[in-house]
């Protein structure tokens, strides 16, 4: 599903106008669709509805919605929050209110009457600012926004809650917090990016007369991940194939005290179809891991008294790496000097794609220049804390700029970036991004990331392109988490349970 920023939305509307529909008709359709949305979900006959209209085209949408709601029997008051309409088509829609039952008041002239008016409203429609809003709400509107926040009325925003910046989801001052947001034609960035997402409430996308073909032709660099991305990864298996047909994955994971990370990542990789999985791990944890996962082959790593790998262990590791179609490194690896040396060696040596997770990321964060030595494609899967270490910032800053930071890091370091968390983002070095909406807070447990890393590495080993593997596996990982939450509860579900849900998801895709 495409997600558009402000400029892309304007280009889409321009193309629609070139095809024969007018801006005035688009505004009429938008306002009417918003009124239908409200009527479908709530009783409107004899209800008190206040429509807050700015001077731009978002306000024009509000005028149309007000007229249609009045025709449905609602008692509607339009509040001109910034005075008279400032665009020609918004002015035309405002004039159409003449002769209807809609009352209009000017906030700038009589601000004192607005508070009791809003307090008695059943519904408040926010049509103050649209996708073009930037910066912060002017101070003279602060009292209005404060009153809206205190009201018990259901708040419905048109396109985007006023105060949210469309492209980033950022909020720099006062903002309307909506219960529902009615988005026209497509989702916008702010509907999916925090903190704007929280202020949007439940988002509904409504058509306004722009065809699906036009939307499909509109270029965009952000999409919501859907099942078709996962379906593109899971390809039919040929009858004459063998294990060599489905990739050779090397997993360099685990350390003393962190055997579970190796178990979970290896199990997930095998469950996702890799033909041969080789788990390279310290000899000390081999009995633990091998007793839990019997399908892989194992490369046992022995260390010298100084902590470095023995010559034989390094030769064996690099030998299998040279024959691998992907390598996963980092899950439970630790940050010892030997681990630093290992990550450095693998980055500089591997010609196959590398999936780097957990301690692999933490090591790179302290030695960022080693990314320049990578010979093959690199996929990195940080959670917000690890991303903060990579960027030398804090988690709050990362969370406030998730898409921006993921894109900039991916481009600067030529990696595919998977920034995990609520609304995991997968971004290619070229900037194409998928935002995931599957998953739930029950997945916020140690080990979930190991499962995801193993899944991605498995599909990359099978030849799936890095961005497709990243986005598709994030989607399936979230779906598995949702199935577990339904059956086991968010509290009790475990990362290992998610691996157990993958077969039924693959069956659904294969059908």
């Amino acid at each position: 599903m495409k997600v558009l920023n402000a400029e892309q939305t304007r280009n889409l509307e321009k193309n629609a106008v070139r095809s024969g529909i007018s801006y005035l008709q688009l505004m009429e359709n938008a306002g009417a669709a918003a009124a239908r949305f409200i009527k479908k979900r709530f009783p409107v006959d004899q209800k008190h509805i206040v429509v807050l209209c700015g001077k731009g085209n978002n306000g024009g949408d509000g005028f149309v919605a007000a007229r249609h709601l009045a025709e449905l029997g609602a008692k509607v008051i339009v509040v001109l929050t910034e005075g008279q309409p400032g665009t020609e088509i918004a002015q035309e829609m405002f004039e159409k209110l003449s002769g209807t039952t809609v009352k209009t008041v000017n906030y700038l002239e009589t601000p004192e009457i607005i508070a009791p008016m809003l307090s008695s409203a059943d519904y408040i429609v926010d049509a103050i600012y649209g996708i073009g809003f930037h910066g912060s709400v002017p101070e003279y509107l602060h009292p209005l926004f404060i009153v809206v926040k205190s009201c018990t009325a259901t708040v419905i925003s048109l396109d985007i809650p006023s105060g949210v910046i469309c492209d980033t989801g950022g909020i720099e001052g006062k903002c309307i917090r909506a219960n529902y947001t009615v988005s026209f034609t497509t989702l916008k960035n702010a509907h999916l990016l925090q903190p704007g997402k929280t202020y949007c409430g439940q988002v509904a996308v409504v058509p306004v007369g722009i065809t699906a073909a036009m939307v499909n032709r509109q270029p965009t660099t952000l999409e919501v991940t859907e099942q078709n991305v996962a379906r593109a990864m899971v390809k039919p298996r040929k009858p004459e194939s063998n294990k060599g047909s489905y990739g050779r994955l090397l997993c360099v994971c685990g350390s003393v005290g962190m055997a579970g990370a190796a178990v979970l990542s290896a199990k997930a990789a095998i469950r996702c179809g890799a033909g041969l999985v080789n788990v390279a791990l310290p000899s000390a944890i081999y009995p633990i891991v091998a007793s839990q996962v019997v399908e892989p082959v194992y490369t046992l790593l022995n260390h010298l008294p100084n902590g470095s790998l023995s010559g034989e262990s390094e030769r064996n590791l690099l030998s299998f790496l040279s024959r691998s179609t992907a390598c996963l490194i980092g899950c439970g690896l630790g940050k010892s000097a030997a681990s630093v040396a290992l990550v450095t060696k693998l980055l500089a040596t591997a010609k196959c794609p590398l999936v780097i997770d957990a301690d692999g990321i933490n090591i790179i964060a302290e030695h960022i220049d080693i990314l320049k030595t990578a010979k093959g494609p690199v996929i990195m899967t940080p959670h917000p804390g690890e991303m903060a270490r990579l960027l030398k910032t804090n988690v709050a800053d990362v969370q406030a700029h998730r898409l921006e930071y993921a894109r900039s890091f991916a481009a600067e370091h030529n990696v595919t970036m998977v920034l995990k968390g609520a609304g995991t983002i997968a971004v290619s070095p070229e900037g194409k991004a998928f935002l995931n909406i599957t998953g739930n807070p029950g997945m916020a447990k140690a080990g979930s990331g190991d499962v995801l890393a193993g899944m991605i590495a498995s599909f990359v080993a099978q030849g799936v392109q890095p961005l497709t593997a990243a986005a598709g596996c994030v989607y399936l990982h979230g779906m598995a988490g949702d199935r577990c939450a339904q059956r086991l509860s968010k509290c009790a579900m475990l990362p290992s349970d998610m691996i157990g849900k993958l077969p039924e998801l693959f069956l659904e895709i294969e059908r």
Side-chain angles (χ1 to χ4, degrees), residues 13 21-40 44 49 51 53 56-72 76 78 89-90 93-94 96-97 125-127 156-159 182-185 206-209:
E13 291 172 349
I21 189 170
S22 68
Y23 281 114
L24 191 70
Q25 188 60 54
L26 287 174
M27 183 175 285
E28 176 67 30
N29 293 350
R36 286 195 298 272
F37 170 85
I38 296 170
K39 172 66 168 62
K40 183 177 180 180
V44 297
I49 302 179
V51 185
C53 296
N57 286 341
N58 195 244
D61 298 334
F63 297 143
V64 176
R67 171 162 44 87
H68 283 273
L69 289 167
E71 291 171 357
L72 292 169
V76 183
V78 163
I89 57 175
M93 292 306 187
F94 177 64
K96 288 187 177 184
L97 295 179
V125 177
D126 161 34
I156 302 104
S157 289
L158 303 190
D159 231 2
V182 181
S183 179
F184 303 128
T185 307
V206 298
V208 300

Side-chain angles (χ1 to χ4, degrees), residues 5 24 68 95 106 115 121 145 160 182 270 319 372 398 508:
N5 62 26
L24 191 70
H68 283 273
E95 291 171 358
N106 192 322
F145 279 54
I160 288 178
V182 181
I270 292 165
S319 174
K372 296 176 183 177
V398 169
E508 291 171 13

Side-chain angles (χ1 to χ4, degrees), residues 414-439:
N414 193 35
V415 302
T416 297
M417 172 59 65
V418 180
L419 179 52
K420 296 182 290 195
T424 294
I425 298 168
V427 187
S428 72
E430 297 75 30
K432 184 174 182 181
F434 286 90
L435 192 148
N436 189 59
I437 57 175
T438 63

Side-chain angles (χ1 to χ4, degrees), residues 248-266:
R248 300 167 66 91
L249 173 63
L250 173 62
C251 296
V252 186
C253 300
S255 60
V256 175
M258 296 292 288
V263 170
L264 289 169
S265 56

